[in-house]
Amino acid sequence: MSRPRVLIIGAGLGGLALAHGLRDAGVDHLVVERDASVRSRRQGYRIHINADGSTALYEVLPKRLWELFRATASIPGPVGEFYDHRFDVVHRFEADGSARTVHGLPEHLNVNRLTLREILATGLDTVRYGRTFTGYRRDADGRVVAHFADGGTETGDLLVAADGVHSRVRRQRLPHARVVDSGLRLIYATVPLTPATRPLFPEGMFGGYSAILGPKHRHLGGAPVEFAEPLSRTASRIAADASLTEHRSYMTSAFGARVEDLPDDEELFAMNPSALRGLALDMMDDWHPRARRMVEHWELSSVLPLLLRTSVPTEPWPASEVTLLGDAVHAMSPAGGSGANAAMLDGAILAARLREVRDGKPLLEAVAEYENAMREHGFAAVRMSADNGHRMLGQDPLPPA
């Protein structure tokens, strides 16, 4: 199979990373995404990029886009702190100067999710937006036929589920794989970093991710994303074909609580941004005034509720012409800051294995090697994130595999 055709369902970070890797390898591929565009739906704001994420991006991105990623990434400060709800420091960490770098970048970075997705979408003419995947079958030749809600089909030698935690591909390919409620809900928002708001945040909240830990497992997490110049100017200097949505520097702010302390999901997800902010403030009634002022400065247009789910690690399955990556197979709590990195690492690993298929390796052998690596690092990240979430935030313990 010198030139397999790969169908990728989903144009999130993992699916787009895979597409770039396949483009570089000269492997025929098509990405199909249900959203109308890369900007159609808010999925969050700041994400943490670790060594796995930076390495994956370095391996799959063209040089100009790698440099654009470097220029738009935010480097955390050297001091980080966690606080209790009275704003007393309960944990402090400082960079010791020995932290390793990854291709010239610090090991830990903060990036704006949409900016990274726009960078990953740049230069790809193989992405088709506005098509909803409904299921797949195999044809008489054993190839995979993907069906879409518009009545159309696409045929390929390999189907890749990159369609997130609600993956329709996973439900068909691995119906026994479980995704469970973490027991936590977040109200997510941003605070623009201006001369008026910056003093709200102590130095220890500019060192990556920090959190104010309150009673009853309530918490207010935060992390900065800062831009040195307008994003359009950065893109024009480095990758003129990249179209980046402008963002001001901001502090991500996320209030979290146990599900039993909140309105039911139907009511919670029907609340408008002002009501969500009011709910968070009501649940922080006895917190330090500084913490409450942070929430009072939420940008209302940015406020949204999130239901946190996690996959349950699954026993290995035999390789086939349908595989999975990212949240479609190992969704995880954000408490480990690993989800996006794991998805992009999946994309880079799978692209490398499919390059070998182009050069003569049997497809199922390559898929098996990829899935072994994906399960090892992906499910380890699920367990780590669930453990952190349970210890620090009151997340439900991860069920047994």
Side-chain angles (χ1 to χ4, degrees):
M1 187 178 291
S2 60
R3 190 168 167 79
R5 185 172 196 244
V6 181
L7 304 178
I8 303 167
I9 307 300
L13 301 179
L16 293 174
L18 172 59
H20 271 289
L22 295 180
R23 181 181 183 183
D24 181 64
V27 175
D28 185 21
H29 64 279
L30 178 69
V31 184
V32 184
E33 165 61 47
R34 67 173 182 172
D35 289 344
S37 78
V38 73
R39 302 177 181 90
S40 293
R41 182 166 48 95
R42 288 183 301 171
Q43 295 175 280
Y45 304 107
R46 170 263 187 189
I47 57 174
H48 165 242
I49 299 295
N50 63 20
D52 285 344
S54 290
T55 297
L57 290 169
Y58 183 81
E59 290 177 356
V60 303
L61 286 178
K63 186 175 187 299
R64 76 187 191 288
L65 297 184
W66 165 254
E67 293 300 333
L68 185 57
F69 161 71
R70 284 171 54 106
T72 56
S74 178
I75 299 174
V79 177
E81 293 175 334
F82 279 57
Y83 313 86
D84 64 20
H85 69 296
R86 303 297 188 190
F87 235 101
D88 293 323
V89 175
V90 296
H91 180 67
R92 179 182 174 89
F93 56 90
E94 296 186 39
D96 60 8
S98 63
R100 66 189 179 110
T101 60
V102 183
H103 302 293
L105 283 173
E107 185 174 4
H108 299 285
L109 300 166
N110 294 334
V111 303
N112 185 53
R113 175 182 285 273
L114 178 58
T115 303
L116 178 56
R117 194 176 178 200
E118 288 174 332
I119 291 171
L120 281 163
T122 300
L124 293 176
D125 58 3
T126 53
V127 185
R128 303 291 179 265
Y129 292 99
R131 299 190 72 190
T132 299
F133 171 85
T134 58
Y136 69 85
R137 62 178 174 84
R138 287 180 172 80
D139 66 14
D141 297 322
R143 303 183 80 205
V144 185
V145 181
H147 290 257
F148 300 91
D150 59 12
T153 62
E154 298 288 348
T155 301
D157 301 291
L158 179 69
L159 179 71
V160 182
D163 50 344
V165 67
H166 302 292
S167 173
R168 290 185 173 180
V169 181
R170 182 192 66 244
R171 292 175 195 169
Q172 187 173 349
R173 174 68 183 92
L174 299 175
H176 60 283
R178 289 186 292 160
V179 177
V180 297
D181 192 330
S182 71
L184 299 178
R185 302 291 183 269
L186 288 183
I187 304 174
Y188 212 18
T190 63
V191 178
L193 287 172
T194 67
T197 63
R198 189 175 287 270
L200 287 174
F201 304 97
E203 178 189 10
M205 293 192 76
F206 287 87
Y209 178 82
S210 61
I212 305 167
L213 306 174
K216 299 183 179 180
H217 298 300
R218 297 171 187 177
H219 62 278
L220 183 68
V225 176
E226 303 194 70
F227 304 106
E229 62 180 351
L231 290 170
S232 58
R233 187 181 304 167
T234 307
S236 67
R237 287 191 297 104
I238 300 172
D241 57 333
S243 176
L244 303 185
T245 302
E246 290 293 355
H247 290 275
R248 294 178 290 178
S249 296
Y250 64 85
M251 181 72 72
T252 298
S253 185
F255 176 78
R258 287 284 311 172
V259 62
E260 56 267 20
D261 293 335
L262 293 164
D264 65 49
D265 286 343
E266 183 176 0
E267 180 180 350
L268 181 70
F269 283 81
M271 286 183 171
N272 63 40
S274 181
L276 288 167
R277 183 176 63 182
L279 174 63
L281 287 169
D282 287 345
M283 298 181 74
M284 298 168 61
D285 183 56
D286 60 346
W287 288 34
H288 193 283
R290 188 174 189 176
R292 290 176 53 82
R293 285 199 298 273
M294 294 174 185
V295 174
E296 289 168 354
H297 281 82
W298 279 359
E299 191 168 30
L300 281 179
S301 62
S302 72
V303 178
L304 69 157
L306 293 175
L307 188 159
L308 301 186
R309 295 183 173 91
T310 181
S311 296
V312 178
T314 305
E315 292 297 319
W317 56 87
S320 77
E321 293 82 7
V322 179
T323 192
L324 311 94
L325 64 72
D327 283 354
V329 61
H330 48 61
M332 63 193 74
S333 161
S338 299
N341 298 282
M344 293 186 295
L345 181 59
D346 287 346
I349 294 171
L350 183 53
R353 299 289 78 77
L354 292 175
R355 182 188 294 266
E356 295 171 348
V357 174
R358 180 205 65 185
D359 295 337
K361 174 176 282 191
L363 177 63
L364 292 189
E365 181 180 335
V367 171
E369 291 176 2
Y370 157 71
E371 290 184 340
N372 286 337
M374 175 269 289
R375 281 188 291 260
E376 181 176 355
H377 81 82
F379 288 149
V382 168
R383 293 184 179 96
M384 180 271 290
S385 297
D387 182 62
N388 285 349
H390 179 61
R391 287 187 295 104
M392 297 175 58
L393 308 177
Q395 177 178 332
D396 291 342
L398 193 66

